[in-house]
Amino acid sequence: MASAALAPGLPRGASEGLRKHHLQKCQLSYRNYMKPNIVMVDVGKWPIFTLLSPQEIASIRKACVFGTSANEAIYITHNDEVFVFGLNCSNCLGTGDNQSTIVPKKLEALCGKKINSLSYGSGPHVLLSTEDGEVYAWGHNGYSQLGNGTTNQGITPIQVCTNLLIKRVIEVACGSHHSMALSSDGDVYAWGYNNCGQVGSGSTANQPTPRKVSNCLQTKMVVSIACGQTSSMAVIDNGEVYGWGYNGNGQLGLGNNGNQLTPCRVAALHGVCVLQITCGYAHTLALTDEGLLYSWGANTYGQLGTGNKSNQLSPAQIMVEKERVVEIAACHSSHTSAAKTQGGQVYMWGQCRGQSVVVPHLTHFTCTDDVFACFSTPAVMWRLLSVEHEDSLTVAESLKKEFDSPETSDLKFRVDGKYIHVHKAVLKIRCEHFRTMFQSYWNEDMKEVIEIDQFSYPVYRAFLEYLYTDSVDLPPEDAIGLLDLATSYCENRLKKLCQHIIKRGITVENAFSLLSAAVRYDAEDLEEFCFKFCVNHLTEVTQTTAFWQMDGPLLKEFIAKASKCGAFKN
């Protein structure tokens, strides 16, 4: 493994403009990697939503359940209106009074704000950010966790202004009584309760307003943040992980159980590139770009998935025998963990309705959100949830059912001697390439069978199925061929989807082949992703057959670019 070669991919002395551009690309890469993992589900699995009428349920676009007994909820409608209902502990409904309500109340101050990130503390308090980068907070404020400089309870959503007005915040996170915000330029701000150093200021004095977390993060570009009850974590654009705050259970992963008043790098993860991190009550999960899963911290309920209940002071790899992991989930209100694999299997472990599950258990669910609805105590949500309703799937499901159906098709493609049955109308509606093709054919005597010889059967079938389903199910190696097709047919959305698949399937063995394909098909974002992966795993990649079989010009270009990034420095 290359040593300092794992630097963020910028030469020393780069201009501030170049650094900002690089950070935006890294954040986009991280968020694009994560985006396909978002599975839209039915909020009806959470008991509190049984209080709503079918009409109210049908109006929900995003939602979050929180509270000590999962007895409070906020939801956003398709019209971008914001409603809350439930117990209203510590005014965390933000309605301006301290009354509980089973009838949803509208939060006028947030309507139309386009909420993109939401988190809650068990204090309780609520924090959210909008697409415009504004931050709002309300609820309990005994430790200034609302960031307004006072300890007065927040009875309605108030914008967090100090030090954040000039920033565009893209992500928020809450501990029990402290708060964090991540700006689009990679800076982290923290405030609130600081008895264990969870604000990262170097002291244990509470922080009444947002303060930039600096020290060893001063020159780093943060792309993701997470909070445990009294701990804080951050992921850097080069995949390094930093932690600070309470460490009594080893939740910072530093190999000891001493608290940290400033960010400290998780040295045990050196040599891996972390893409996602998430915190439970007192444990942490990390997912690497190779789909490897690590856990550390408290383990009283088996929430680390190591097969025992012993705390882990340093990261331990789990689910080693399982297929590649693409998503991890935890929530600082519970001791439950979940993960989803590339094949769509969902596992859970930790506290399960009062029982302890010490090894990852395969569930019948299709998304990690359902784990928290059905197994977690309390049954809160681990993220702001996107919702999809059954009645909106009717047309999509019907199209999917009729793909490759000989009974209803009016056209066949023959690829590698195999037939694929399709419908001309669907192809004309969905694809400009076919619209043009069919117009050029004679109307009355149009062929019933079209021969395809420039693409393989799996690739062409996947393409036609995509036109019916908007989704692709291919291994990364075949996705390269589909990327070629998407480029030829000018299908930009499909091109991006192929890039997502390739990113998820990248390994040391195929990384250089995928990089070569990205260059060949002029996929800049994918090229940057593959290049970073190759640099972050330089030693292993250079020992693969694909690396040494690469054509001379590409090999020279890679070596030159990697050298500029400091990849070959000791």
Side-chain angles (χ1 to χ4, degrees):
M1 180 62 61
S3 54
L6 314 189
L10 268 183
R12 285 185 171 84
S15 69
E16 186 62 25
L18 182 58
R19 288 173 62 82
K20 289 183 178 179
H21 175 69
H22 175 68
L23 174 60
Q24 289 167 356
K25 290 191 69 174
C26 289
Q27 289 171 336
L28 181 62
S29 176
Y30 274 67
R31 304 211 185 300
N32 282 346
Y33 182 92
M34 297 307 304
K35 196 179 295 182
N37 299 338
I38 298 178
V39 178
M40 301 186 187
V41 297
D42 179 9
V43 295
K45 291 184 174 70
W46 279 267
I48 190 171
F49 281 102
T50 59
L51 293 169
L52 302 190
S53 68
Q55 293 77 19
E56 288 167 327
I57 291 289
S59 72
I60 298 176
R61 182 171 59 89
K62 293 181 179 180
C64 190
V65 175
F66 55 97
T68 53
S69 300
N71 48 10
E72 287 148 333
I74 182 170
Y75 67 88
I76 304 150
T77 70
H78 294 283
N79 295 327
D80 219 25
E81 294 180 320
V82 181
F83 291 87
V84 290
F85 64 103
L87 183 62
N88 204 17
C89 179
S90 296
N91 293 99
C92 63
L93 293 187
T95 54
D97 57 51
N98 58 5
Q99 302 299 308
S100 300
T101 177
I102 61 173
V103 178
K105 291 185 177 181
K106 187 186 294 188
L107 292 186
E108 296 285 358
L110 296 178
C111 290
K113 289 292 185 180
K114 300 188 183 303
I115 298 167
N116 65 356
S117 176
L118 184 145
S119 186
Y120 55 87
S122 55
H125 71 291
V126 181
L127 195 66
L128 63 81
S129 65
T130 70
E131 288 185 4
D132 291 333
E134 297 174 340
V135 178
Y136 291 82
W138 66 95
H140 188 265
N141 195 33
Y143 301 95
S144 300
Q145 57 263 50
L146 302 188
N148 57 19
T150 76
T151 54
N152 301 327
Q153 198 147 278
I155 61 175
T156 58
I158 299 296
Q159 185 175 354
V160 183
C161 296
T162 305
N163 293 333
L164 294 184
L165 278 180
I166 59 173
K167 293 288 184 177
R168 180 176 173 269
V169 172
I170 57 175
E171 186 180 359
V172 293
C174 292
S176 60
H177 298 85
H178 77 289
S179 305
M180 288 208 301
L182 172 63
S183 69
S184 58
D185 55 358
D187 289 335
V188 178
Y189 290 80
W191 62 95
Y193 199 30
N194 194 34
N195 63 324
C196 302
Q198 56 265 47
V199 169
S201 60
S203 75
T204 55
N206 294 344
Q207 179 63 37
T209 56
R211 175 191 178 278
K212 184 178 177 180
V213 182
S214 52
N215 299 94
C216 56
L217 292 186
Q218 182 67 39
T219 59
K220 305 290 185 181
M221 299 178 177
V222 178
V223 294
S224 186
I225 54 175
C227 290
Q229 279 276 303
T230 49
S231 60
S232 304
M233 304 295 297
V235 178
I236 311 305
D237 67 332
N238 66 350
E240 294 176 355
V241 176
Y242 287 77
W244 60 97
Y246 183 66
N247 194 34
N249 299 286
Q251 54 261 61
L252 301 185
L254 304 177
N256 57 57
N257 56 10
N259 296 347
Q260 291 291 324
L261 305 185
T262 57
C264 184
R265 184 183 174 190
V266 182
L269 290 176
H270 176 74
V272 302
C273 179
V274 171
L275 281 183
Q276 185 193 355
I277 197 160
T278 186
C279 297
Y281 185 95
H283 76 286
T284 308
L285 304 176
L287 177 64
T288 76
D289 61 349
E290 293 185 282
L292 307 178
L293 175 54
Y294 292 83
S295 64
W296 62 90
N299 200 26
T300 307
Y301 301 92
Q303 59 264 45
L304 298 186
T306 54
N308 57 52
K309 295 185 179 181
S310 301
N311 290 0
Q312 187 74 33
L313 302 183
S314 296
Q317 188 179 346
I318 62 170
M319 291 183 64
V320 178
E321 302 302 321
K322 305 292 191 291
E323 64 179 347
R324 187 187 190 102
V325 176
V326 297
E327 180 179 274
I328 53 176
C331 162
H332 81 269
S333 293
S334 71
H335 308 282
T336 303
S337 303
K340 184 176 181 178
T341 67
Q342 191 168 28
Q345 292 182 317
V346 173
Y347 291 82
M348 70 79 53
W349 59 99
Q351 192 176 43
C352 173
R353 293 292 181 182
Q355 300 182 58
S356 297
V357 179
V358 298
V359 294
H361 172 75
L362 179 62
T363 72
H364 62 277
F365 301 132
T366 57
C367 63
T368 57
D369 303 280
D370 288 351
V371 168
F372 291 83
C374 301
F375 291 153
S376 178
T377 305
V380 295
M381 294 181 181
W382 73 275
R383 59 177 168 188
L384 182 63
L385 186 69
S386 294
V387 180
E388 189 170 293
H389 302 283
E390 289 184 5
D391 59 355
S392 66
L393 293 177
T394 305
V395 173
E397 288 179 340
S398 298
L399 280 175
K400 183 177 182 179
K401 182 180 178 182
E402 293 307 315
F403 171 67
D404 202 14
S405 170
E407 290 79 15
T408 60
S409 70
D410 56 2
L411 180 65
K412 290 185 289 187
F413 285 91
R414 186 161 60 195
V415 190
D416 297 339
K418 301 176 184 177
Y419 289 100
I420 308 169
H421 301 81
V422 294
H423 306 76
K424 285 181 283 188
V426 173
L427 269 54
K428 286 170 67 176
I429 291 170
R430 293 280 287 142
C431 180
E432 178 65 31
H433 170 81
F434 288 121
R435 195 154 45 244
T436 304
M437 174 193 290
F438 295 155
Q439 286 173 354
S440 66
Y441 274 112
W442 50 98
N443 293 328
E444 297 297 325
D445 302 319
M446 182 177 174
K447 296 179 181 178
E448 293 184 357
V449 179
I450 298 178
E451 296 278 354
I452 299 294
D453 55 15
Q454 62 267 51
F455 300 106
S456 69
Y457 174 80
V459 165
Y460 212 77
R461 179 183 171 83
F463 168 58
L464 294 174
E465 188 170 9
Y466 159 78
L467 297 179
Y468 282 73
T469 65
D470 257 347
S471 61
V472 174
D473 183 17
L474 278 179
E477 290 74 18
D478 284 335
I480 293 176
L482 190 56
L483 178 61
D484 183 17
L485 186 153
T487 304
S488 300
Y489 285 14
C490 299
E491 288 287 331
N492 291 328
R493 184 181 179 278
L494 178 59
K495 191 174 176 180
K496 292 178 181 178
L497 193 56
C498 290
Q499 293 181 40
H500 287 315
I501 294 170
I502 294 170
K503 288 177 182 180
R504 282 191 170 187
I506 194 169
T507 65
V508 166
E509 290 299 323
N510 66 18
F512 214 75
S513 297
L514 299 181
L515 173 62
S516 175
V519 172
R520 188 162 62 249
Y521 302 131
D522 196 28
E524 293 183 5
D525 182 50
L526 177 61
E527 180 185 345
E528 179 70 15
F529 182 90
C530 293
F531 173 77
K532 282 187 62 179
F533 186 96
C534 289
V535 170
N536 287 344
H537 305 275
L538 188 60
T539 301
E540 290 89 340
V541 169
T542 56
Q543 293 173 351
T544 63
T545 303
F547 182 84
W548 294 108
Q549 288 182 344
M550 196 52 54
D551 61 72
L554 179 61
L555 192 59
K556 289 180 180 178
E557 183 179 344
F558 172 80
I559 293 173
K561 186 176 179 182
S563 179
K564 287 182 180 179
C565 295
F568 302 107
K569 294 180 180 179
N570 294 325

